[in-house]
Amino acid sequence: MSDAGSKSKNPHEAAKADAKAAKAKRREVNAGTQVQVGEHAREAGYVPRFKKRYNEVIKAELMKKFGYTNIMQVPKLNKVVLNIGAGEAASDGKKITQAQNDLTAIAGQKAVQTRAKKAIATFKIREGLPIGTKVTLRGDLMYEFIDRLITTALPRVRDFRGINPKSFDGRGNYAMGMKEHVVFLEIDYDKTESVWGMDIVFNTSAKTDEEARALLEGFQFPFTTN
């Protein structure tokens, strides 16, 4: 018997295989923006431009403004924490995975799922149930994220008029929220079923809110003036 004959002998199996492939494709489309996270290919001697700005411009400006006598007194960024809360999708594991994949694409670093610390019957949340995703950025990835946030993401926010200058916590840390995570260019809108809100926390070594604000203004954070 020829190969052609053996292939046409099982049309049901061929149809089943086609249906399985179509289902897998739909699942991939609905899984959010997926990226490969690993070692970053960079040229030798590469320095993120916002890190370079901090070392060459911001440090000198802060020393002059606050009268520091030692370079080690100058406040710096320690880390940036990104968080997407998806509690309304707690009963749908697929949506939590979508949010995790999207946050990974935005950060350039693998995001982890956050789980409920206690049960809340009103919201049908059990202890240990995934309710969101987060990622903590340090070093070069942190500076690269801030660069993309300031130069590309915030300008794409609808009716953007600046960020709130009062969202400091009294210990030199700043928190801000975004209503739509899809303003980041890394997100493939066609593969994202849900639009999530995002919380972004900037942890600094500043001892006062005034010093922290001056540090962030050095990175060209667009604070409102009124």
Side-chain angles (χ1 to χ4, degrees):
M1 184 180 292
S2 65
D3 290 342
S6 63
K7 289 182 180 178
S8 62
K9 186 177 180 180
N10 298 311
H12 294 294
E13 290 185 6
K16 188 183 294 185
D18 291 341
K20 186 175 181 181
K23 184 177 180 180
K25 187 174 182 180
R26 286 195 302 272
R27 188 181 298 116
E28 180 182 350
V29 168
N30 295 331
T33 304
Q34 300 181 68
V35 295
Q36 294 293 328
V37 178
E39 294 186 4
H40 295 261
R42 294 188 173 99
E43 296 180 1
Y46 164 78
V47 178
R49 65 172 187 161
F50 268 39
K51 182 177 182 179
K52 186 176 181 180
R53 175 178 175 80
Y54 173 74
N55 290 326
E56 297 180 358
V57 179
I58 299 175
K59 277 186 177 181
E61 291 179 349
L62 293 179
M63 288 195 72
K64 182 178 179 180
K65 181 174 182 177
F66 294 101
Y68 300 127
T69 57
N70 189 321
I71 192 71
M72 300 303 293
Q73 292 177 281
V74 179
K76 62 181 180 179
L77 280 165
N78 294 325
K79 62 183 178 181
V80 176
V81 181
L82 315 180
N83 175 67
I84 291 179
E88 69 277 12
S91 59
D92 189 347
K94 185 178 72 172
K95 288 193 174 182
I96 297 292
T97 301
Q98 292 171 6
Q100 183 180 12
N101 288 338
D102 284 353
L103 189 59
T104 296
I106 291 170
Q109 178 177 303
K110 182 68 174 178
V112 299
Q113 293 184 0
T114 54
R115 299 179 179 273
K117 294 182 179 179
K118 62 180 181 179
I120 305 176
T122 306
F123 298 104
K124 299 181 180 179
I125 293 178
R126 303 186 307 275
E127 183 179 355
L129 193 71
I131 56 173
T133 180
K134 72 173 183 178
V135 63
T136 300
L137 301 177
R138 294 181 173 86
D140 288 355
L141 285 178
M142 174 185 70
Y143 288 107
E144 288 170 355
F145 168 77
I146 295 173
D147 191 346
R148 288 183 280 112
L149 173 70
I150 300 302
T151 58
T152 61
L154 289 180
R156 299 181 74 215
V157 173
R158 189 180 309 158
D159 299 326
F160 180 70
R161 292 182 174 84
I163 58 177
N164 188 356
K166 299 179 180 179
S167 296
F168 290 90
D169 67 351
R171 297 185 297 274
N173 302 311
Y174 182 76
M176 62 175 288
M178 301 185 71
K179 293 182 178 180
E180 299 180 342
H181 78 298
V182 293
V183 296
F184 288 92
L185 295 176
E186 292 79 12
I187 298 300
D188 187 338
Y189 194 83
D190 293 333
K191 293 184 178 181
T192 302
E193 284 187 343
S194 303
V195 177
W196 309 102
M198 270 183 64
D199 294 318
I200 308 173
V201 178
F202 302 88
N203 175 261
T204 80
S205 64
K207 295 180 179 179
T208 66
D209 290 346
E210 183 184 3
E211 291 173 297
R213 175 168 176 169
L215 171 63
L216 297 184
E217 284 178 337
F219 289 109
Q220 301 175 337
F221 275 56
F223 292 110
T224 56
T225 55
N226 52 8

